[in-house]
């Protein structure tokens, strides 16, 4: 078996990374077009300056290629004592290499170092690279009665944006002391 290459570096985003992130998110969103969700693919991404507050707070990470160009990113915010994943995007040209999983695992390690209870996110139930993918990474869907006030607010914002809440799921993954959930054997 040939040796596997190490995962690409993940680092905190710098101000010089920010201009590339809108195009990266837009390219990643193109996959929605192939499943009849053109309105999601056509949604304009945040502007580079919209990423700046997260970058300044140290809550935006990038995975980079060998020329130090971002190939993917994850943006989080603190929500109800958890690290809430607002966005994770990987450029299609870098897809299929586990970069999304690596970014999420990186956030889990960061969250563990801060004593946070879990990772949370909201996502589409019916999109194969959304809820089913996150289940494989150790997330579980929260029933309505277990939604925190912050997650309820996220859903309110998504409804105001025009998303169909019947296809939205809030998910949670506990953070272990090391940040790594034992889900590798199920992949």
């Amino acid at each position: 078996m040939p040796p596997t290459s190490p995962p690409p570096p993940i680092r905190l985003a710098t101000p010089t990374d920010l201009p590339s992130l809108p195009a990266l998110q837009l390219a990643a969103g193109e996959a929605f077009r192939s499943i009849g969700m053109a309105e999601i693919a056509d949604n304009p991404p945040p502007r580079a300056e919209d990423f700046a507050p997260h970058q300044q707070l140290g809550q935006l990470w990038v995975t980079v290629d060998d020329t130090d160009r971002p190939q993917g990113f994850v943006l989080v915010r603190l929500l109800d004592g958890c690290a809430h994943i607002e966005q994770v995007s990987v450029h299609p040209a870098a897809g299929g290499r586990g970069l999304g999983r690596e970014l999420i695992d990186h956030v889990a390690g960061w969250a563990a170092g801060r004593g946070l209870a879990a990772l949370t996110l909201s996502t589409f139930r019916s999109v194969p690279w959304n809820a089913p993918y996150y289940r494989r990474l150790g997330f579980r869907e929260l029933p309505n009665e277990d939604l925190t006030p912050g997650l309820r607010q996220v859903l309110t914002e998504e409804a105001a944006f025009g998303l169909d809440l019947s296809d939205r799921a809030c998910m949670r993954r506990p953070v272990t002391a090391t940040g790594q959930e034992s889900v590798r054997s199920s992949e």
Side-chain angles (χ1 to χ4, degrees):
M1 177 181 271
T4 59
S5 59
I10 295 174
R11 61 171 172 73
L12 282 168
T14 66
T16 58
D17 295 321
L18 303 185
S20 67
L21 300 185
L24 193 156
Q25 184 171 334
L26 195 60
E30 277 299 306
F32 285 97
R33 196 174 309 285
S34 69
I35 60 167
M37 297 176 81
E39 69 281 2
I40 302 299
D42 292 337
N43 183 47
R47 299 167 302 159
E49 54 268 24
D50 296 331
F51 288 99
H54 303 282
Q55 182 269 321
Q56 292 163 0
L57 288 170
Q59 297 173 350
L60 175 63
W61 294 266
V62 294
T63 181
V64 297
D65 65 12
D66 56 0
T67 64
D68 202 42
R69 288 184 320 200
Q71 300 299 296
F73 72 88
V74 63
L75 181 152
V76 303
R77 68 176 163 132
L78 298 178
L79 185 70
D80 300 325
C82 298
H84 183 74
I85 298 171
E86 287 283 323
Q87 181 69 37
V88 59
S89 291
V90 174
H91 195 283
R97 299 189 319 215
L99 300 183
R101 183 193 70 238
E102 294 293 333
L103 286 163
I104 289 168
D105 286 348
H106 187 84
V107 170
W110 175 84
R114 279 147 189 79
L116 301 176
L119 305 181
T120 60
L121 54 83
S122 64
T123 192
F124 289 104
R125 282 188 181 95
S126 63
V127 175
W129 61 89
N130 279 188
Y133 171 74
Y134 293 121
R135 274 189 211 95
R136 290 191 305 274
L137 298 184
F139 286 83
R140 69 172 182 84
E141 186 171 343
L142 295 171
N144 284 337
E145 61 270 13
D146 290 347
L147 296 180
T148 63
L151 290 173
R152 289 182 193 284
Q153 180 61 37
V154 166
L155 291 176
T156 298
E157 292 165 6
E158 291 178 351
F161 181 71
L163 295 180
D164 176 4
L165 292 187
S166 70
D167 192 29
R168 298 299 290 170
C170 288
M171 302 183 83
R172 185 177 197 274
R173 174 176 140 180
V175 171
T176 63
T178 63
Q180 300 300 309
E181 189 66 22
S182 59
V183 296
R184 303 251 184 222
S185 61
S186 65
E187 291 180 18

